Amino acid sequence: MTRTKGIFMSTITTGSTRRSGGFRTASIALGCTVSLLVAACGSPPSSGDGGGRASGEKGGESLADDCPLDALDDATGTVNVDLWYGGLGGSPDAVLQDMAKRFNASQKKVVVTANSQGASYEEMLRKYEGASSTPKQLPQMVYVGDTALGEMVDKGQVLPGGACMEADDYDPKQLDLVARESFSVDGVLYPAYMNVSTPVLYYNKVHFKKAGLDPEKPPTTFAELREMAQALKDAGVSDKPLAFKADEWFFTTWLSGLGLETVDNDNGRNAPPTEAVFDVPDAVDLLTDL
C-alpha cells in the first residue's frame, strides 16, 4: 500500500478556470464532530499500463507543445524562480533549502528561492489561494499536499508535469504506476514530482520483553495491535501502550489498503463527490478497534 503525500507543481499565469475529471476534494464530517478535508485517496483507477495518463496526452492529443523547453535559451539575464512550500520542518526543510542552494551553484541561468509559507500544507495552500486573484503574486513552483491536486487543476494555473516529460522525451513509465495513476486528471499527469509515503508503526522491543511478548514478532493486524497493547498495560509496562496520531490521512490510507473509497464517484475521480461512503462494516471495525 502506497500513499502519495507531497507533490511539486509549476504554476502558469492564466485567468481560466478548469473543471477536471478526477481527484476532487470534499469537506465532510466524521462522527458529526470534526470537519475534515478528504481527498480521493483510494486505489487508483485502472488504465492498463498507464500510457495515456503518464505521457501527458489527452484525447489522443500531445501536450508537449504546452511546455516550452527552449524558453530558457531565449531568456536574457538571470531567471528567478520562486518556490513556495509548507509543512516541512527540521531536516526536510534543511534538505530542500540545500537542494535549492546546490542547484543554484550548479549553473548561472536560474536562481531558485525556496520560501516557506507556513507550518503545514494547509497554511501554505491558504496563502496560495489568497494570491490566486492576482496571478503576478503567484510563485513559479509550489509544493503542495496530495489533497490539493483537484483544486490546483481546477484553478487552471498549473502546467502539467506530464507535458514537460513528453516534450523532453522522458519516459514517465519509469515512475511508480500507483503514483502516476493517482495524480493523473483527465488522462494527464500533473505533478512534476511525487513523494510516496506509507504509515509506519514503531514498537519498543525492551517493553515487549518486559511484558512477555516476543520482540521479534510485532503486531501485523489491528486485532494483534489491540491484544499486545493490552498486554503491555496489564503487565504494568505502560499506562498508555499505544501512541496514535488522530489524523484523517491514516484513516483514509487504511481504507485505501482495504480497497475502500472515502467519497462517491470513484473517490472523486469521475466527478465531484456528493457524499461520504465510508460508513461500511470494515471502516466501523477499524474505528471501533482504535
Side-chain angles (χ1 to χ4, degrees):
M1 175 183 61
T2 57
R3 177 85 157 89
T4 310
K5 190 64 175 176
I7 51 179
F8 267 117
M9 289 188 170
S10 294
T11 62
I12 55 177
T13 302
T14 174
S16 65
T17 300
R18 178 179 177 280
R19 293 305 307 173
S20 60
F23 216 93
R24 302 309 204 292
T25 59
S27 179
I28 66 174
L30 175 61
C32 299
T33 57
V34 183
S35 179
L36 303 176
L37 187 66
V38 179
C41 53
S43 302
S46 173
S47 63
D49 62 0
R53 292 175 181 271
S55 64
E57 296 178 354
K58 181 181 179 182
E61 298 179 359
S62 172
L63 296 178
D65 292 341
D66 293 340
C67 186
L69 293 183
D70 58 352
L72 188 60
D73 296 333
D74 300 330
T76 58
T78 302
V79 176
N80 295 308
V81 174
D82 189 13
L83 164 63
W84 282 14
Y85 68 95
L88 300 180
S91 296
D93 190 294
V95 169
L96 182 59
Q97 291 290 342
D98 183 62
M99 290 174 63
K101 182 178 180 180
R102 286 186 288 115
F103 171 78
N104 292 338
S106 71
Q107 43 74 55
K108 297 181 179 180
K109 290 187 175 182
V110 181
V111 174
V112 175
T113 303
N115 291 308
S116 175
Q117 299 297 319
S120 66
Y121 289 128
E122 292 77 15
E123 183 177 354
M124 191 283 300
L125 186 58
R126 286 195 296 271
K127 292 185 178 180
Y128 182 91
E129 291 168 343
S132 291
S133 60
T134 308
K136 290 184 179 181
Q137 296 180 2
L138 294 175
Q140 285 72 47
M141 296 184 68
V142 60
Y143 180 74
V144 297
D146 54 353
T147 59
L149 178 63
E151 178 177 347
M152 296 298 295
V153 174
D154 287 349
K155 285 181 180 296
Q157 295 172 331
V158 294
L159 176 68
C164 292
M165 294 176 192
E166 184 177 329
D168 198 34
D169 295 323
Y170 174 82
D171 183 6
K173 292 181 181 179
Q174 300 176 61
L175 304 177
D176 181 79
L177 176 60
V178 173
R180 284 191 279 119
E181 292 292 314
S182 294
F183 291 94
S184 292
V185 177
D186 292 343
V188 178
L189 176 64
Y190 272 84
Y193 165 86
M194 294 159 286
N195 173 37
V196 180
S197 310
T198 190
V200 176
L201 173 69
Y202 290 93
Y203 69 104
N204 190 315
K205 289 187 174 182
V206 174
H207 286 187
F208 266 48
K209 288 182 179 179
K210 288 182 178 180
L213 299 171
D214 188 342
E216 301 306 322
K217 294 182 178 180
T220 58
T221 66
F222 271 101
E224 292 177 357
L225 182 66
R226 171 62 185 267
E227 180 182 348
M228 294 182 184
Q230 189 66 54
L232 288 166
K233 186 171 184 178
D234 291 344
V237 175
S238 175
D239 289 335
K240 297 180 179 179
L242 174 64
F244 168 71
K245 183 180 181 183
D247 189 306
E248 72 270 20
W249 180 72
F250 290 96
F251 177 66
T252 54
T253 296
W254 287 323
L255 291 184
S256 175
L258 294 171
L260 300 176
E261 297 179 352
T262 308
V263 292
D264 63 352
N265 292 328
D266 193 20
N267 236 9
R269 288 188 172 87
N270 294 335
T274 60
E275 63 179 349
V277 295
F278 60 83
D279 186 7
V280 294
D282 283 334
V284 172
D285 289 343
L286 170 62
L287 294 175
T288 301
D289 286 340
L290 288 174

